[in-house]
Amino acid sequence: MIRRPLELSAALLSGGALGAWLGESSWTALWAAWLGAVVWVLLDNLRARRVLEWLKTGESSRSPDVSAVWGEVVEQARRGLRAMDRKARKSEARLEEFLAAIQASPNGVVLLDKTGAIEWCNLTAAEHLGFDPKRDLRQYVRNLVRDPVFAAYLKGNSFKQGVEIDGRNATPSHPQRISIHIHPYGKNRKLLLTRDVTALQLAEAMRRDFVANVSHEIRTPLTVVSGFIETLLNLELSEEERRRYLTLMGQQADRMQHLVADLLTLSRLEGSPVPGSSEWVSCDDLLRQVLEEAQALSVVLTEGQPHAIAADAATEEAMQVAGSRSELHSALSNLMGNAVRYTPPGGRITAGWRVAQDGGAEFFVQDTGPGIAAEHLPRLTERFYRVDRSRSRETGGTGLGLAIVKHVAQRHGGQMRVQSQLGLGSTFSLSLPPARVLLD
Ligand code: ADP
């Protein structure tokens, strides 16, 4: 700081000295000293101007080369600018990270300004609501989302609850439901959150259907049983009638028992860990067991005209598969049971194991039954879906058999397939991946 007065004094003195040397009167020296001071002030102003102009550019890297106090001002300002640069870069990086985190969110996020225009939105929201995340910035959300439910919601200004609308890609065969919830924040700004609730709604619909189906399946036999109980209690019946009623009651009780057993199997399959690869099951043993069970069932169901049930001539006898014996048995006996139950008496049923094209194992059951029309095939594994409802009921079907087979196949990394033509019989197969197969 001392430098400026020193510089000014030096300018005055050198002006005065120059004046004294050039002229004789002391006035000349005084004028020359004043001129020296003016020159210094002008030079100082020039330096101040350069500093000011540089400050206006705000570039910390290209600072002017000035001396004395202005040099110090420049140095301090440069440090300040650099610190600000660093801070701004840090904030920018943090903002980038923050936005990247919101981008990664499975939920859609839209920031609306006080007029309802889009300030920012992530890709998920753009996908849900059909925005273009760049082109639609500054557009009014009310102009872009035309659903009347959303329009009323936005207009109503009551955002305690959200609303649901059809997603941009929704079609009758592929429904998509998007939940939208607006949260006001700051000064009249709004945070709009979107979520794809299609799977949730489907699961909820499935749960409702499932409960309704189970109730319906149980209600019918229960009504029959309670009707018979009332009859037995109130009417004088002959021994033969009593026996007939009790037999019918027994059949209904069996039906409920089967249903409960299948429901328990399904819930076990859903709730237990996937079978490991340490237990090896002999395919031949399993085949023989389910063939015997099928023959016994055929005798009961066909009353003297049993099916011709046999192992396929080319079945792989030495094959072993890794998985849960009880689950595989349950799946195979469901497939065999269906063949017996749906094939008319005297029909032919062939079952066996073969090596699939990919090197995996495939269990198959071929029957000469009624076959299944193509439109039913994709729905066969739905719970309680039946093609021939009355035949299913008559033969003790629960409508859950193929759902169990599909679950078992999936839990073993395999698949269930059906090939069928109306009137020409069906072939059901369950395939397991090569990793679960051992061929001796
Ligand atoms: P269900 O207990 O009614 O047999 P499933 O889930 O095992 O239930 O089978 C679903 C439906 O698929 C059955 O109701 C039946 O109409 C049809 N189905 C299954 N297997 C056969 C088959 N081998 N031949 C003809 N139809 C079959």
Side-chain angles (χ1 to χ4, degrees):
M1 272 298 166
I2 190 87
R3 210 166 144 182
R4 273 163 73 78
L6 281 178
E7 270 184 13
L8 180 59
S9 312
L12 275 166
L13 284 173
S14 19
L18 193 69
W21 180 64
L22 287 176
E24 281 141 34
S25 73
S26 54
W27 279 109
T28 321
L30 263 176
W31 271 111
W34 178 81
L35 215 65
V38 169
V39 168
W40 179 83
V41 168
L42 283 175
L43 279 175
D44 196 53
N45 257 353
L46 203 69
R47 283 184 294 197
R49 185 164 204 86
R50 283 176 64 197
V51 171
L52 258 176
E53 255 155 30
W54 168 70
L55 278 175
K56 270 191 218 153
T57 67
E59 273 184 42
S60 61
S61 50
R62 273 193 280 149
S63 57
D65 185 15
V66 283
S67 57
V69 74
W70 292 116
E72 245 171 74
V73 168
V74 166
E75 186 52 32
Q76 291 296 339
R78 207 154 55 89
R79 273 193 214 145
L81 278 173
R82 278 206 181 140
M84 264 166 57
D85 270 358
R86 268 199 303 274
K87 246 192 196 169
R89 268 202 298 273
K90 248 191 194 168
S91 308
E92 221 166 87
R94 238 194 256 159
L95 184 67
E96 290 289 322
E97 272 172 30
F98 185 65
L99 291 180
I102 305 181
Q103 276 299 9
S105 157
N107 294 334
V109 180
V110 185
L111 302 181
L112 299 176
D113 70 9
K114 57 184 173 209
T115 64
I118 301 169
E119 281 189 314
W120 185 86
C121 74
N122 69 356
L123 292 173
T124 317
E127 158 91 24
H128 286 167
L129 303 173
F131 298 164
D132 183 318
K134 284 204 179 108
R135 200 191 54 217
D136 289 338
L137 288 186
R138 314 300 326 153
Q139 299 292 320
Y140 293 112
V141 71
R142 61 172 179 270
N143 293 342
L144 297 174
V145 184
R146 293 297 200 157
D147 191 291
V149 173
F150 176 74
Y153 179 55
L154 197 64
K155 223 174 173 186
N157 243 342
S158 155
F159 303 123
K160 270 203 185 112
Q161 310 242 311
V163 285
E164 276 176 21
I165 63 168
D166 276 336
R168 179 176 66 132
N169 302 319
T171 58
S173 54
H174 285 100
Q176 187 194 28
R177 291 292 285 173
I178 302 294
S179 135
I180 300 182
H181 202 156
I182 290 180
H183 303 269
Y185 76 100
K187 280 186 190 157
N188 272 334
R189 284 162 189 274
K190 292 184 186 84
L191 171 72
L192 186 152
L193 299 179
T194 65
R195 199 155 57 100
D196 189 333
V197 290
T198 318
L200 215 74
Q201 286 210 343
L202 281 179
E204 179 54 25
M206 268 168 73
R207 192 192 62 78
R208 271 198 311 269
D209 282 357
F210 185 66
V211 171
N213 278 326
V214 171
S215 315
H216 177 76
E217 294 291 329
I218 287 185
R219 195 182 315 132
T220 320
L222 260 183
T223 316
V224 176
V225 169
S226 58
F228 285 147
I229 291 175
E230 224 172 278
T231 314
L232 285 170
L233 281 174
N234 298 327
L235 293 180
E236 281 293 321
L237 299 170
S238 67
E239 182 54 28
E240 195 191 326
E241 280 173 325
R242 208 178 62 88
R243 191 168 281 281
R244 197 161 59 84
Y245 283 139
L246 284 174
T247 310
L248 289 169
M249 282 167 75
Q251 281 170 1
Q252 298 303 326
D254 276 353
R255 196 172 143 189
M256 284 191 279
Q257 231 164 11
H258 284 150
L259 180 66
V260 172
D262 276 359
L263 285 171
L264 284 174
T265 305
L266 264 181
S267 99
R268 258 198 305 275
L269 289 175
E270 279 173 345
S272 62
V274 169
S277 305
S278 52
E279 189 188 346
W280 287 93
V281 184
S282 157
C283 294
D284 197 41
D285 282 357
L286 211 51
L287 176 65
R288 248 183 281 175
Q289 189 182 355
V290 291
L291 283 173
E292 275 169 26
E293 288 167 1
Q295 273 149 0
L297 181 66
S298 169
V299 170
V300 175
L301 288 181
T302 56
E303 293 166 357
Q305 216 192 328
H307 302 94
I309 301 174
D312 185 67
T315 190
E316 281 288 344
E317 287 174 6
M319 189 149 53
Q320 293 193 63
V321 288
S324 155
R325 189 179 208 288
S326 59
E327 286 185 23
L328 290 170
H329 172 255
S330 165
L332 268 48
S333 61
N334 263 308
L335 292 180
M336 285 299 289
N338 280 354
V340 173
R341 288 167 43 234
Y342 294 104
T343 304
R348 207 174 52 251
I349 297 168
T350 316
W353 284 93
R354 62 189 165 208
V355 179
Q357 270 182 350
D358 64 353
E362 191 170 60
F363 171 81
F364 64 95
V365 190
Q366 190 174 11
D367 64 47
T368 54
I372 302 164
E375 74 260 26
H376 295 294
L377 296 181
R379 299 196 60 191
L380 284 186
T381 54
E382 281 176 26
R383 291 163 192 205
F384 300 111
Y385 187 81
R386 291 166 169 116
V387 183
D388 185 346
R389 193 162 282 274
S390 60
R391 180 84 191 133
S392 166
R393 292 247 161 83
E394 274 165 30
T395 55
T398 59
L400 296 173
L402 293 181
I404 292 175
V405 179
K406 182 182 161 193
H407 253 288
V408 172
Q410 284 177 344
R411 281 164 60 79
H412 286 77
Q415 278 185 45
M416 190 204 91
R417 291 194 194 89
V418 194
Q419 277 179 319
S420 190
Q421 258 187 38
L422 213 50
L424 293 178
S426 318
T427 303
F428 283 77
S429 61
L430 183 153
S431 63
L432 298 174
R436 287 191 179 266
V437 181
L438 197 68
L439 264 168
D440 284 343

